[in-house]
Amino acid sequence: MSYKAVQAVGDTVYWMECGPDGDVLVRRSAVPDEDPQSRWPDSRDAEKVLPAGFRVASNVHDYDAGAYLATADDIWFCRAGDQRIYRARLGDSGPTPQPITPEPPSPQSLRYADLQLIRATNVLICVRERHERGEVVNELVALPADGSALPKVIVSGQDFYTSPAPSPDGRRLAWVSWDAPRKPWDGSRLWVADLSSDQTIENVTLVAGSDEESVCQPSWSPAGVLHFISNRTGWWNLHSWRDGAVEPVVTGQFDLAQAPWKLGCRTYAHFGRVIVAIAQDDGPWHHLVDTGWGKINYRSIDPQPVLQPYLALTSREAVTIMSSPGEQPMVCVNDLYDDVFYGTRALTHKN
């Protein structure tokens, strides 16, 4: 068994279990307890989120990634069989997924990935890949989260798009694009634009990137500051953009990202004023914390694991996928309030 695509909603952790019969979306919730070591008892197992027959996968860019989005009330996901987006309302009676995108003209000719929700308007924004008349067209589309209207193209014209990132107030949108024959790790561009209530894009601005600089993982802080990872220094470091200027945030001779060949990866996250990230310095991956006051604290895990490029945060833990030589991969949590990450707890069991 392998795992990928970790997300967290409050103290509920979601991830994909990848087996020979396809990918299954599962989740596990923490138990309310004053003792952090008792929040994830070994007696509890992960539960399947969707009914039997609903496999999750996105074929955008021919990689299975960026295929679902979890919130407190809903799950939106790309169904493996037809590549349509489905919505599953979460409740006591169990979710009954319903498609919110139309039937494609031919099987799997409309594919979706990198789903993001604008909460203020209840609108989904995502990457769509159209296969028609022997051509493949990538674009960003917006659609009501309940599927009450058809997807609307809001950004198009370049060969590839990824990582749509709406601002917390829903009034701005960031995204990454690039053109063939370049790969996204060779050169790409990060854009930001105003987003109107009817999802019209205006005032498009280039933030960073070029034919020689690669950018990835745009994300907004709770205060509305745009962050992103760039290799402009020769290392995949974290930067921010405010008032039209790029500023270094977490920089040094370490990588905070892998080459961005898959959608949906996340190797840093905002924890209030603190930024938690996964870093690599010519060796195993370990956690890195920026305290938010300009000081960088390294938090190593013993034994040093190799971490996949997925990071999520609960109310007090970092959630990662760990593996090491001779050990199977595990979905794990580490308490962010510990001085060091010595209390790794596995949310998955050995097979």
Side-chain angles (χ1 to χ4, degrees), residues 1-4 15-24 26 48 55 308 321-322 327-331 348-351:
M1 181 73 70
S2 62
Y3 309 102
K4 65 181 181 182
W15 66 88
M16 300 293 301
E17 292 189 345
C18 311
D21 297 326
D23 297 348
V24 177
V26 302
K48 294 181 180 179
R55 300 289 182 176
Q308 295 188 29
I321 301 174
M322 300 183 181
E327 293 288 339
Q328 296 178 355
M330 299 181 296
V331 179
T348 52
H349 303 301
K350 295 182 179 180
N351 300 321

Side-chain angles (χ1 to χ4, degrees), residues 123-145:
V123 167
L124 282 180
I125 292 182
C126 61
V127 176
R128 183 173 70 180
E129 185 176 276
R130 289 188 289 117
H131 293 246
E132 56 185 22
R133 297 186 293 275
E135 296 185 351
V136 178
V137 177
N138 272 244
E139 53 207 3
L140 297 183
V141 299
L143 69 152

Side-chain angles (χ1 to χ4, degrees), residues 23-325:
D23 297 348
V24 177
L25 180 63
V26 302
R27 67 181 176 185
R28 186 175 170 188
S29 297
V31 175
D33 199 298
E34 293 182 1
D35 181 6
Q37 297 300 316
S38 302
R39 283 165 49 84
W40 306 96
D42 293 335
S43 59
R44 290 204 172 189
D45 293 323
E47 61 176 352
K48 294 181 180 179
V49 177
L50 302 173
F54 285 90
R55 300 289 182 176
V56 179
S58 169
N59 294 336
V60 169
H61 300 178
D62 291 326
Y63 296 114
D64 178 12
Y68 81 96
L69 172 67
T71 67
D73 300 314
D74 301 273
I75 302 290
W76 290 270
F77 67 95
C78 305
R79 191 175 186 181
D82 58 14
Q83 292 295 290
R84 299 169 74 186
I85 299 177
Y86 285 69
R87 181 191 192 187
R89 304 301 306 270
L90 301 176
D92 295 337
S93 61
T96 302
Q98 298 293 329
I100 65 168
T101 53
E103 286 272 7
S106 58
Q108 298 193 7
S109 61
L110 295 176
R111 307 173 182 182
Y112 303 86
D114 266 0
L115 315 180
Q116 298 294 325
L117 177 66
I118 302 178
R119 299 181 186 277
T121 55
N122 204 33
V123 167
L124 282 180
I125 292 182
C126 61
V127 176
R128 183 173 70 180
E129 185 176 276
R130 289 188 289 117
H131 293 246
E132 56 185 22
R133 297 186 293 275
E135 296 185 351
V136 178
V137 177
N138 272 244
E139 53 207 3
L140 297 183
V141 299
L143 69 152
D146 61 1
S148 57
L150 294 175
K152 170 186 175 180
V153 178
I154 59 173
V155 180
S156 62
Q158 293 197 251
D159 292 341
F160 298 98
Y161 292 94
T162 187
S163 306
S167 61
D169 60 7
R171 296 179 179 179
R172 291 177 293 173
L173 180 70
W175 68 90
V176 174
S177 67
W178 69 96
D179 288 319
R182 287 181 176 81
K183 303 299 183 183
W185 52 87
D186 295 325
S188 58
R189 288 169 170 81
L190 171 62
W191 308 88
V192 68
D194 295 333
L195 184 65
S196 66
S197 59
D198 65 351
Q199 288 76 61
T200 299
I201 292 291
E202 299 175 326
N203 303 321
V204 178
T205 301
L206 177 64
V207 173
S210 66
D211 292 345
E212 289 75 36
E213 177 190 358
S214 178
V215 290
C216 62
Q217 297 188 37
S219 176
W220 300 83
S221 72
V225 177
L226 180 61
H227 290 67
F228 61 96
I229 293 177
S230 166
N231 68 351
R232 61 174 54 195
T233 65
W235 299 85
W236 294 99
N237 284 177
L238 185 65
H239 298 77
S240 67
W241 182 80
R242 69 175 82 204
D243 299 326
V246 172
E247 302 174 354
V249 177
V250 181
T251 59
Q253 294 186 0
F254 45 75
D255 287 319
L256 299 182
Q258 297 178 354
W261 58 277
K262 293 176 67 175
L263 288 76
C265 294
R266 176 63 58 191
T267 53
Y268 74 96
H270 301 277
F271 190 66
R273 296 190 62 175
V274 173
I275 294 173
V276 182
I278 301 173
Q280 185 182 31
D281 179 10
D282 292 331
W285 290 79
H286 58 276
H287 285 84
L288 174 80
V289 173
D290 172 17
T291 66
W293 300 99
K295 178 183 177 183
I296 298 174
N297 294 331
Y298 294 85
R299 300 187 176 206
S300 296
I301 305 172
D302 189 24
Q304 290 275 336
V306 176
L307 303 181
Q308 295 188 29
Y310 299 106
L311 171 70
L313 303 181
T314 68
S315 64
R316 66 173 299 129
E317 295 116 346
V319 188
T320 56
I321 301 174
M322 300 183 181
S323 62
S324 57

